[in-house]
Amino acid sequence: MTKATIRLTSAEWEAFLESLYERDDRLDLKAAGQRYPKDEQVDAYTLSGHAEALQSAEVDGDLWGTLEDLDETAKTEDEAWQKICDFYLERGCVLLSVTDAPEREEWVFTEALARRLGLL
């Protein structure tokens, strides 16, 4: 199984967020030429509800709680995040990394969601 990593710049990340909408708890890509109500806009917080795990300066991904859910332990945040990523990537998820963010900006999504959102 291939471990997929998607790398975006900060500008590409912002454009990605702007390309999404959420309606009735379903996240999807906006269709060209369509108008979407303001309450369907997606920001990092909205997107976090669809991620398997994340480390973000904008959104608290509850790193230690996620690690505990996996019945794992770690001594550092870096070790914890690595164990979380390994767990999900071994199960077919993909890692999205914002390459030029001032702080770590990494998100784990299911492959199906990543495909639906045009990331793969």
Side-chain angles (χ1 to χ4, degrees), residues 44-100:
Y45 180 77
T46 303
L47 183 61
S48 72
H50 299 273
E52 298 301 309
L54 61 106
Q55 265 208 311
S56 172
E58 275 188 77
V59 181
D60 178 11
D62 190 18
L63 179 75
W64 297 108
T66 301
L67 189 67
E68 186 176 312
D69 289 346
L70 302 179
D71 292 325
E72 289 282 354
T73 60
K75 293 182 182 190
T76 67
E77 284 189 7
D78 286 341
E79 180 185 2
W81 182 242
Q82 187 59 55
K83 286 183 176 188
I84 291 167
C85 287
D86 289 346
F87 176 87
Y88 283 108
L89 295 179
E90 287 171 3
R91 286 155 180 81
C93 290
V94 297
L95 176 68
L96 183 147
S97 178
V98 180
T99 58
D100 60 347

